[in-house]
């Protein structure tokens, strides 16, 4: 097992090294952090449409990884593959492996429910349940069998604090979550994801439906969350990727064109298409 | 160059506004026609039946003499009938709707089944009566019991509830489904904690409308052979029984004029029960309605 892990790390470092020939030594990769997700020759089809082609990507612990790319490039499909939500589309077929902490997520020994407990997700549009704020945040814990009121109370408070919204809602935990603003709703959704104490948080364009002030709040929050969680975020907004992420992967037409330190992607990209995209020439 | 002729625009304005106003009155008229006919019907029935709506009428069994005929047996029988029809229809229909919407693969077979359930909703009730007669009364030897009639009516209203429940379930936004699934909830947890609570107002509305139809349905009961005169109430689901619509149908056939007033009184009772059921439906719908 240990050997396998070492081999993986070596492989991974090899991939990164080949991608970062002109790497700035100041932004050197922290060699010690472990990979959480690794896609290996991952392919995905929607019916006949080959949406993801030979994806090889590694995401590491306690980092924010951004996935950017023009519409329809497969970035949402990819992030939804990581917690197997993409399989809700009936015509999806996959090939290749996605490894989560040394375990293939498509392996039968790992149930989707277990995977999704460890890999939380925040969606593009705030999607709270039509329930009270308390019930929204406690939902995940209840689903996983936690019933004790005292424990639930603590989980709700901790999660709401973690999502930087506790002070705004502590006096109205029993109010319907639909009464909150879009930005608050999205932070409730983040709190809801935190409540099951995941390992990785996937965010699919978490701020695209929000105003600039709410966006800033959520970006600040992501920086705090990074200390405890690994975050993979899909974003349409290149400035956002540049601001918040440590690593950036550029997807184009179902391929990973380039994956590197965010600084390299934005300042010194290797591929012409990456350069064109990040400089706003297309997309 | 001016493509828009300002004079022409000004000239057509009056006509457009007139048409706009007349359409409003046309639609109001349509509404009024239905309303007036309905009110006439109700007023006429109430005027005819009011004086016969006595305590004796409510507590007496059917009789061939109009002065001593009552509706007690029919009311109790109809309650028994609904007590069988409602649970059977609700469980079967909501289960079917959940399976079709949430579990079944989205393919041609599922589509075919869905379309044909909608078609079943349009099958005449007398056909369901024949089905009940063949299967429940004869094959399963249930006779003209509460159970046979209840099951027949349950099958008859099932398509209506299935269609209503499917629509209510479909109206639950997929984003909250995804939220629940994304947190590691199982399908059943998502269905029971998120989808059903959100769909319940729509489902209940469908159930009550369907039960209202069932309680006033006569044709299947005629085919099954529900008796029109009986001096006992059923003690269990295997006993025979009387039903409100059968009783009304029987009275309206009678030659004596007195029976026509009893018919009107019977209709008032039936309408009151329907009114009560619909009020419950509206109450539940308003109580549980959650906007997305």
């Amino acid at each position: 097992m240990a050997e396998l892990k070492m081999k993986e790390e070596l492989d991974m470092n090899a991939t990164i090294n080949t991608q970062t020939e002109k790497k700035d030594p100041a932004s050197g990769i922290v060699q010690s952090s472990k990979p959480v997700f690794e896609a290996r020759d991952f392919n995905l089809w929607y019916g006949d449409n080959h949406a993801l082609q030979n994806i090889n990507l590694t995401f590491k612990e306690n980092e924010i990884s951004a996935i950017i790319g023009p519409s329809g490039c497969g970035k949402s499909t990819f992030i939804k593959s990581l917690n197997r939500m993409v399989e809700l589309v009936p015509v999806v077929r996959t090939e290749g492996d996605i490894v989560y902490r040394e375990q293939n997520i498509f392996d039968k020994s790992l149930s989707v429910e277990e995977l999704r407990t460890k890999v939380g997700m925040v969606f593009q549009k705030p999607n709270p349940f039509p329930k009270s704020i308390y019930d929204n945040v406690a939902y995940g814990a209840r689903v996983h069998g936690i019933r004790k009121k005292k424990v639930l109370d603590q989980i709700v408070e901790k999660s709401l604090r973690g999502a930087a919204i506790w002070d705004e809602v502590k006096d109205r935990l029993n109010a319907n979550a639909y009464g909150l603003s879009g930005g608050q709703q999205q932070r409730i959704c983040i709190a809801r994801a935190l409540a099951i104490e995941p390992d990785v948080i996937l965010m699919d364009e978490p701020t695209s439906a929000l105003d600039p002030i709410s966006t800033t709040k959520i970006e600040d929050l992501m920086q705090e969350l990074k200390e405890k969680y690994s975050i993979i975020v899909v974003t349409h907004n290149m400035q956002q990727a540049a601001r918040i992420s440590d690593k950036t992967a550029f997807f184009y037409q179902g391929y990973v064109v380039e994956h590197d330190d965010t600084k390299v992607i934005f300042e010194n990209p290797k591929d012409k298409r990456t350069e064109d995209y990040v400089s706003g020439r297309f997309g | 160059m001016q493509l828009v002729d300002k004079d022409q625009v000004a000239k057509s304005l009056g006509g457009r506004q007139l048409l706009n106003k007349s359409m409003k009155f046309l639609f109001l008229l349509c509404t009024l026609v239905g309303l007036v006919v309905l009110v006439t019907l109700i007023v006429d029935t109430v005027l005819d039946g009011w004086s016969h709506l006595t305590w004796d009428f409510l507590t007496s069994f059917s009789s061939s003499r109009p002065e001593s005929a009552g509706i007690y047996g029919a009311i109790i029988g109809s309650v028994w009938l609904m007590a069988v029809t409602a649970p059977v229809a609700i469980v079967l229909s909501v289960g079917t709707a959940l399976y079709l919407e949430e579990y079944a693969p989205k393919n041609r077979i599922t589509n075919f089944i869905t379309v044909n359930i909608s078609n079943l909703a349009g099958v005449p009730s007398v056909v369901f009566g024949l089905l009940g007669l063949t299967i429940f009364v004869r094959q399963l030897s249930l006779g003209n019991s509460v159970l046979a009639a209840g099951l027949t009516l349950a099958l008859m209203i099932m398509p209506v509830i299935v269609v209503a429940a499917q629509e209510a379930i479909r109206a639950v936004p997929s984003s909250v489904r995804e939220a629940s699934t994304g947190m590691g909830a199982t399908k059943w947890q998502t269905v029971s904690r998120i989808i059903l609570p959100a769909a319940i107002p729509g489902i209940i509305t469908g159930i009550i409308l369907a039960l209202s139809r069932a309680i006033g349905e006569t044709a299947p009961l005629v085919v099954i052979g529900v008796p029109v005169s009986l001096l006992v109430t059923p003690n269990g689901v295997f006993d025979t029984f009387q039903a409100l619509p059968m009783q009304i149908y029987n009275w309206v056939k009678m030659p004596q004029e007195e029976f026509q007033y009893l018919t009107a009184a019977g209709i008032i009772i039936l309408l009151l029960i329907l009114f009560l059921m619909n009020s419950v439906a509206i109450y539940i719908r308003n109580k549980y309605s959650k906007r997305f």
Side-chain angles (χ1 to χ4, degrees), chain A residues 85 88 113 116-117 119 123 127-131 139-140 142-144 147 178 192-193 196, chain B residues 106 175-176 178-187 189-190 193-194 197-198 290-292:
Chain A
M85 287 292 280
L88 296 183
E113 288 83 14
R116 289 171 190 162
T117 310
V119 183
F123 297 83
N127 57 352
F129 302 124
K131 296 171 181 279
Y139 184 79
R142 283 188 173 139
V143 157
H144 294 102
R147 300 245 180 284
Y178 274 71
R192 186 174 65 184
I196 47 173
Chain B
K106 297 271 170 282
S175 64
V176 295
E178 283 176 2
S180 174
T181 321
M183 304 194 69
T186 60
K187 187 78 156 181
Q189 285 176 322
T190 305
R193 292 169 194 228
I194 302 297
K290 282 162 183 165
R291 273 175 301 122
F292 283 99

Side-chain angles (χ1 to χ4, degrees), chain A residues 134 138 141-142 146-159 166 173:
Chain A
Y134 185 97
R142 283 188 173 139
I146 296 166
R147 300 245 180 284
K148 281 198 190 115
K149 178 88 171 90
K150 240 181 119 182
V151 182
L152 285 174
D153 285 348
Q154 286 172 339
I155 289 175
V156 168
E157 178 170 351
K158 189 180 157 209
S159 311
W166 171 252
L173 290 178

Side-chain angles (χ1 to χ4, degrees), chain B residues 12-276:
Chain B
S12 79
L13 185 66
R16 290 193 296 133
Q17 284 172 332
L18 184 69
L19 184 66
N20 192 31
K21 272 185 192 143
S22 27
M23 287 321 277
K24 180 176 139 191
F25 281 107
L26 183 68
F27 297 141
L28 178 66
L29 199 68
C30 292
T31 314
L32 284 180
V33 169
L35 217 60
V36 166
V37 171
L38 203 68
V39 168
T40 315
L41 198 73
I42 291 175
V43 168
D44 189 47
T45 308
V46 170
L47 286 180
D48 277 357
W50 192 250
S51 53
H52 288 78
L53 213 57
T54 58
W55 187 247
D56 279 348
F57 176 73
L58 289 174
T59 53
S60 306
F61 282 101
S62 51
S63 165
S64 55
R65 286 176 300 121
E67 57 278 11
S68 58
I71 205 165
Y72 179 70
I75 293 177
I76 300 297
S78 275
V79 170
W80 268 96
L81 191 60
M82 285 304 107
V84 171
T85 303
V88 173
I90 291 169
V91 169
L92 284 180
S93 314
V94 177
T96 306
L98 278 175
Y99 179 75
L100 289 175
E101 287 302 313
E102 296 295 321
Y103 294 88
K106 297 271 170 282
N107 57 24
R108 245 181 243 175
I109 299 170
T110 313
N111 216 354
F112 180 78
I113 294 172
T114 307
V115 168
N116 279 289
I117 284 176
S118 312
N119 286 341
L120 272 183
V123 170
S125 57
V126 68
V127 177
F128 279 99
L130 288 169
L131 177 102
L133 181 68
T134 316
I135 296 177
F136 302 122
V137 178
R138 301 259 167 80
Q139 296 245 293
L140 299 176
S141 309
L142 294 174
N144 53 4
S145 63
V146 173
L147 188 61
L151 291 176
T152 306
L153 290 185
L155 283 185
M156 184 191 82
I157 61 171
M158 206 185 126
V160 181
I161 306 180
V162 171
V163 171
Q166 274 185 296
E167 270 163 26
I169 291 167
R170 227 175 283 153
V172 180
S174 59
S175 64
V176 295
R177 256 171 253 250
E178 283 176 2
S180 174
T181 321
M183 304 194 69
T186 60
K187 187 78 156 181
W188 169 240
Q189 285 176 322
T190 305
V191 166
S192 60
R193 292 169 194 228
I194 302 297
I195 293 173
L196 272 183
I200 256 190
I203 295 177
I204 301 251
T205 310
I207 289 172
I208 297 288
L209 287 179
L211 286 180
S212 304
R213 187 183 159 202
I215 203 171
E217 197 59 72
T218 321
L221 303 183
V222 173
V223 178
I224 287 172
V226 172
V228 289
S229 104
L230 199 68
L231 295 177
V232 287
T233 52
N235 289 314
V237 290
F238 295 105
D239 291 349
T240 193
F241 67 108
Q242 285 183 285
L244 275 174
M246 279 301 282
Q247 189 67 73
I248 293 167
Y249 172 64
N250 185 52
W251 280 337
V252 88
K253 285 192 306 187
M254 292 294 201
Q256 294 100 312
E257 200 202 350
E258 186 75 1
F259 273 116
Q260 304 314 314
Y261 298 113
L262 292 183
T263 306
I267 291 172
I268 295 172
I269 298 290
L270 193 58
L271 282 178
L272 281 178
I273 293 177
L274 285 175
F275 184 69
L276 198 73

